[in-house]
Amino acid sequence: MVNFGKKLKEEQVEEWKVYYINYKSMKKKVKQYVQQNRIDGKDRQQVLKEFSRMLDDEIEKVVLFILEEQGRLASQIQELESQRDAILETSDVSEVSKLKESYREVGRDLLKLLRFVDMNATGIRKILKKFDKRFRYKFTDYYVGTRSNHPYSQLQQVFKQVGIGAVVGALSRNLAFLQDHEGSYLSIYDHPTALVKDPVIEQINASVSKLNHSTNFLEFLGQHALIVPEDAIILCPTEEQLVDDDETYHFMSLLLNLVNTFLYMVNTYIIVPTADDYSVSLGAAATVCGVIIGSMAVAQVFSSVYFSAWSNKSYFRPLVFSSIMLFMGNLLYALAYDLNSLSLLLFGRLLCGLGSARAVNRRYISDCVPLKIRLQASAGFVSASALGMACGPALAGLLQIKFKIYSLTFNQNTLPGWIMAVGWLLYLIWLWISFREPARDNQGDHDNASQNNSTSHEGHNTDIENGLNQQLLLDAKERDDEEDIEECDDCEETSSNDSRKPVSSIGEAYRLLTPSVKAQLLIYFMLKYAMEILLSESSVVTTYYFKWSTSTVALFLAILGLTVLPVNVIVGSYVTRLFEDRQILLGSEILVLIGILLSFKFTSHYSVPQYIISALITFVAAEVLEGVNLSLLSRVMSSRLAQGTFNGGLLSTEAGTLARVVADATITLAGYLGQSLLLNVTLLPSLFICIVSIIATLCTFNTLY
């Protein structure tokens, strides 16, 4: 990949070249400051003052040109509107076509301006990052903090430009009006969901989507699933890209992946309310439920790796294998009761874990779903997971029956296995009939497509009027991996293709983990550990302290699961607009800490309100934390970890799965101390890890923007 200076020179519009930021000059100035500081210890405040003034001048030059071009485009649209009325009166089809092409030509000019804005915004981000690195001072915090909130901020004009939204709106409205000038009179304002089917408008919408990067609900969910990283969104997808996406898209295959996600989450949590009772019926202690629940996660540690690698070659075969493993695993889980075999039960759960195809589901959405609906598909992935998490315990609560067919027992312990076995068998038949394997020309092409497609999405018309959001600077910061490795003063990025190829081993992936990434993975480990402790021991704890029945435990867990989507709606639509993600991250960690502290049994009496309130605080805060954590992780991790087998999604999955394994093992080991000590003993590691994660967040806080 060429360095940004060369890219800026090659891609700039020739007649506009004097209006671009002078990136080369600013880069030389940074180098000069570093040399002067080493030689004569030049005053840091003077350096900040000089460089701030230089950057202010460059940004002002860009802003004034943007305003000038917006005015020119507005004038052209106004002239076309005066022609439109006269042409429509004549009902001359050829003239209407010419008029539509004239509007499209204005749209193409707007695309040039959007590209101009994007290149300059990227240059500003890069030079700020370079200054921070070379001068070893957080200049970005100072500069953004003092400029972005000022009423006369030029920086705001680059990243929050309402005028561009007005131009896009005018183009869309007029093209929609001309689509059927014989009586349709379609208005984008009366019908906001009626998209203008025009290639130029689609490209403009996709471009504005990148610049207008305020975090809405769908984006939040997409990042929650770690399917839509923020840093590599395609600015201007071509008409060919949009057509190719539509040709390769197969709705039924997408639906099958979402159903796979839903069924797997149901399969994970359907046994939680009855796992303790099942273990007791097989002659083990109630706390062995930790091993029963956690054995699925143990197998998932390994299955995530081979499914991630397998998805490089196929999607259909991994899904078939997953369905067979889950069918067999649930069958053995159900048969273990009549065979009185705890080993068979655990082996069945291990087989279920070996069938975890979530890596395939994620990969299919990122690779095979069109840009126009990728965010919706990502939101569907998270929603399917949340719904499965709620339906699992709820379904278990409905299975409070007992009967026998020949020598097979059907009760609250075995019915989850039988029902899930039937469910996976039906799914396998549906999969075999309906799934369509996407065409792959060759592996190299696929890897390139994976890199590009897995980090792209298309904007929404409802966001256009909001203009360009300031968070482009703070949230969509490009990550130059080579800058973090090389100290080369003449280039910002290595030109070698190796610098962008996917990592090929865990060791190579580990070397790309910066302190910020490690901190986010630790936070993910902590929240998954806390949630697993809460969920897995809920049946044992509530039975011991409150004498809850299986149905009551199932209802409680279902209610917790149902909070996932409302919480994501509130956070994704509102909270992220009021606070920075790093602030939400720290606040959520503190709430998790409070929830854990409230969960401890401090007195001889442990009440139901204390347990429910502390559980809700812990679970809801952890859900908020998970979404923001994965969103930040997608920003701070190396772009090389956005593709290939050992990608960021796999690393986060492994961290979360390992946390679940450790948590379930903790429950089982703590059970040997007696059920009276189980609650406090299992909460102590959660408390410790939570405190460590908060410290890690504070240490890396200034890098999380």
Side-chain angles (χ1 to χ4, degrees):
M1 183 175 179
V2 298
N3 67 68
F4 179 74
K6 290 181 180 178
K7 181 180 179 182
L8 178 63
K9 186 175 181 180
E10 292 171 358
E11 297 188 11
Q12 66 186 10
V13 180
E14 182 63 27
E15 60 268 26
W16 294 355
K17 63 180 181 180
V18 296
Y19 302 109
Y20 287 85
I21 62 169
N22 195 335
Y23 181 77
K24 183 177 181 181
S25 175
M26 288 192 291
K27 193 166 70 170
K28 287 182 177 179
K29 181 62 77 172
V30 172
K31 182 178 178 181
Q32 178 185 334
Y33 285 147
V34 174
Q35 291 174 340
Q36 289 177 345
N37 186 59
R38 289 172 180 168
I39 296 173
D40 55 18
K42 186 168 183 174
D43 181 63
R44 174 169 290 184
Q45 291 301 320
Q46 183 63 25
V47 168
L48 296 179
K49 185 177 180 181
E50 289 179 7
F51 193 69
S52 296
R53 186 182 298 117
M54 181 180 185
L55 197 52
D56 288 340
D57 290 341
E58 291 295 319
I59 292 174
E60 183 175 273
K61 174 181 67 177
V62 171
V63 167
L64 293 177
F65 179 73
I66 292 172
L67 294 174
E68 181 182 338
E69 282 299 300
Q70 285 178 187
R72 185 180 66 80
L73 293 173
S75 298
Q76 290 180 353
I77 293 175
Q78 193 171 19
E79 291 177 8
L80 291 175
E81 286 182 350
S82 62
Q83 299 175 26
R84 182 196 66 191
D85 295 336
I87 291 173
L88 291 182
E89 287 179 3
T90 64
S91 298
D92 189 330
V93 176
S94 62
E95 290 298 320
V96 171
S97 297
K98 290 180 181 178
L99 183 59
K100 289 172 70 175
E101 187 57 36
S102 297
Y103 275 114
R104 292 191 184 102
E105 192 60 39
V106 176
R108 295 184 186 101
D109 288 342
L110 178 58
L111 281 171
K112 286 168 55 179
L113 182 60
L114 288 169
R115 184 61 181 165
F116 173 84
V117 174
D118 179 67
M119 292 295 288
N120 284 285
T122 300
I124 294 169
R125 290 196 302 269
K126 286 180 176 291
I127 202 64
L128 286 171
K129 182 177 180 179
K130 182 173 285 291
F131 189 99
D132 286 354
K133 179 177 180 178
R134 302 294 170 82
F135 208 69
R136 303 194 181 282
Y137 180 78
K138 279 294 176 186
F139 176 71
T140 300
D141 285 356
Y142 157 74
Y143 190 80
V144 174
T146 55
R147 266 63 173 176
S148 62
N149 296 319
H150 195 279
Y152 305 128
S153 169
Q154 300 284 6
L155 188 66
Q156 282 274 23
Q157 291 298 318
V158 176
F159 297 109
K160 189 176 183 180
Q161 190 47 258
V162 178
I164 286 181
V167 175
V168 177
L171 283 172
S172 300
R173 186 182 70 84
N174 282 282
L175 281 172
F177 183 82
L178 291 172
Q179 277 185 348
D180 188 352
H181 66 282
E182 296 180 349
S184 176
Y185 302 107
L186 177 67
S187 171
I188 62 171
Y189 302 111
D190 295 331
H191 305 279
T193 59
L195 301 179
V196 181
K197 300 297 183 181
D198 189 277
V200 174
I201 295 299
E202 288 184 350
Q203 291 180 65
I204 291 173
N205 289 343
S207 302
V208 173
S209 174
K210 179 181 179 183
L211 298 175
N212 181 26
H213 214 5
S214 57
T215 308
N216 60 35
F217 177 48
L218 291 178
E219 288 167 343
F220 182 78
L221 288 181
Q223 292 152 15
H224 190 151
L226 211 60
I227 292 171
V228 187
E230 290 191 80
D231 69 318
I233 300 163
I234 294 177
L235 179 65
C236 299
T238 64
E239 296 178 36
E240 290 78 8
Q241 282 177 301
L242 295 171
V243 172
D244 289 344
D245 276 345
D246 289 335
E247 289 178 350
T248 58
Y249 171 58
H250 186 228
F251 172 76
M252 190 59 69
S253 299
L254 171 61
L255 182 61
L256 282 161
N257 274 277
L258 295 180
V259 171
N260 183 282
T261 298
F262 169 77
L263 286 176
Y264 185 79
M265 293 303 290
V266 172
N267 211 146
T268 300
Y269 289 99
I270 193 173
I271 72 158
V272 172
T274 58
D276 59 333
D277 185 64
Y278 204 166
S279 62
V280 170
S281 68
L282 296 179
T287 51
V288 174
C289 68
V291 174
I292 296 173
I293 297 171
S295 56
M296 194 168 174
V298 170
Q300 191 178 341
V301 171
F302 304 99
S303 66
S304 297
V305 178
Y306 65 72
F307 272 119
S308 182
W310 204 349
S311 63
N312 289 328
K313 300 179 181 298
S314 173
Y315 299 105
F316 176 68
R317 288 192 292 272
L319 290 176
V320 170
F321 178 79
S322 165
S323 304
I324 293 172
M325 288 294 101
L326 284 155
F327 169 74
M328 293 173 57
N330 282 289
L331 193 61
L332 294 179
Y333 182 87
L335 291 173
Y337 185 89
D338 291 308
L339 297 176
N340 195 29
S341 174
L342 181 62
S343 300
L344 188 64
L345 181 146
L346 293 174
F347 184 65
R349 289 294 288 179
L350 285 171
L351 287 182
C352 289
L354 292 175
S356 172
R358 287 172 65 81
V360 180
N361 305 144
R362 280 194 181 103
R363 185 72 176 269
Y364 184 87
I365 294 173
S366 67
D367 287 3
C368 305
V369 176
L371 297 174
K372 292 181 285 187
I373 63 167
R374 189 165 300 149
L375 278 177
Q376 290 91 325
S378 302
F381 176 84
V382 175
S383 301
S385 298
L387 188 60
M389 186 177 182
C391 287
L395 185 58
L398 299 175
L399 302 179
Q400 304 305 301
I401 54 178
K402 183 176 181 179
F403 60 92
K404 296 192 71 170
I405 299 179
Y406 297 106
S407 60
L408 297 178
T409 303
F410 296 86
N411 58 21
Q412 65 174 12
N413 297 326
T414 63
L415 277 171
W418 289 117
I419 287 178
M420 292 313 303
V422 172
W424 284 112
L425 180 61
L426 294 175
Y427 174 82
L428 179 60
I429 296 170
W430 182 21
L431 179 73
W432 194 272
I433 296 172
S434 303
F435 191 86
R436 188 173 75 190
E437 184 76 78
R440 302 175 190 238
D441 294 334
N442 58 60
Q443 189 59 33
D445 291 343
H446 168 71
D447 288 340
N448 290 334
S450 173
Q451 176 180 357
N452 292 330
N453 292 345
S454 66
T455 55
S456 354
H457 61 75
E458 190 226 22
H460 307 284
N461 282 345
T462 54
D463 286 336
I464 292 174
E465 297 294 336
N466 295 330
L468 308 182
N469 192 277
Q470 173 192 344
Q471 290 185 347
L472 176 65
L473 177 64
L474 298 176
D475 294 345
K477 189 173 74 169
E478 293 211 359
R479 297 181 300 277
D480 304 318
D481 306 314
E482 295 78 11
E483 270 196 313
D484 295 332
I485 301 172
E486 298 282 345
E487 286 294 335
C488 174
D489 291 322
D490 297 325
C491 62
E492 193 169 42
E493 298 177 359
T494 306
S495 59
S496 170
N497 290 331
D498 290 343
S499 64
R500 290 291 175 182
K501 70 178 182 180
V503 295
S504 57
S505 67
I506 288 289
E508 189 177 356
Y510 181 79
R511 288 192 292 273
L512 290 173
L513 301 185
T514 63
S516 300
V517 176
K518 291 177 181 177
Q520 295 309 307
L521 290 175
L522 172 63
I523 293 169
Y524 194 67
F525 179 93
M526 178 273 292
L527 71 91
K528 285 298 183 183
Y529 183 92
M531 290 175 69
E532 189 71 10
I533 288 290
L534 170 63
L535 297 175
S536 295
E537 71 177 11
S538 59
S539 182
V540 179
V541 169
T542 55
T543 300
Y544 179 78
Y545 287 109
F546 316 130
K547 309 301 180 185
W548 281 7
S549 66
T550 300
S551 298
T552 306
V553 177
L555 178 62
F556 171 69
L557 293 177
I559 292 173
L560 284 182
L562 288 173
T563 63
V564 174
L565 282 180
V567 167
N568 279 326
V569 170
I570 294 171
V571 175
S573 300
Y574 303 105
V575 178
T576 51
R577 299 183 185 277
L578 301 175
F579 303 98
E580 295 179 27
D581 279 2
R582 56 181 180 172
Q583 295 172 327
I584 302 173
L585 182 85
L586 183 58
S588 301
E589 289 179 275
I590 293 173
L591 281 177
V592 171
L593 179 63
I594 292 172
I596 293 172
L597 288 172
L598 291 177
S599 299
F600 276 93
K601 180 178 179 294
F602 294 106
T603 64
S604 58
H605 177 66
Y606 193 60
S607 65
V608 172
Q610 179 186 350
Y611 178 75
I612 292 177
I613 292 172
S614 62
L616 280 172
I617 293 174
T618 303
F619 189 83
V620 171
E623 272 300 318
V624 175
L625 183 59
E626 181 175 4
V628 179
N629 167 250
L630 291 180
S631 174
L632 284 169
L633 182 60
S634 71
R635 300 172 197 168
V636 299
M637 72 179 178
S638 165
S639 57
R640 293 181 64 193
L641 294 174
Q643 52 179 316
T645 300
F646 300 97
N647 52 61
L650 175 65
L651 293 179
S652 62
T653 299
E654 293 293 273
T657 304
L658 184 62
R660 291 173 55 202
V661 171
V662 174
D664 291 323
T666 302
I667 293 172
T668 300
L669 293 175
Y672 288 104
L673 301 177
Q675 293 189 27
S676 61
L677 297 176
L678 176 68
L679 181 66
N680 285 353
V681 170
T682 54
L683 287 174
L684 282 174
S686 298
L687 180 65
F688 174 75
I689 300 171
C690 187
I691 293 173
V692 172
S693 71
I694 291 175
I695 295 172
T697 299
L698 293 174
C699 291
T700 59
F701 191 76
N702 287 332
T703 66
L704 302 176
Y705 52 80

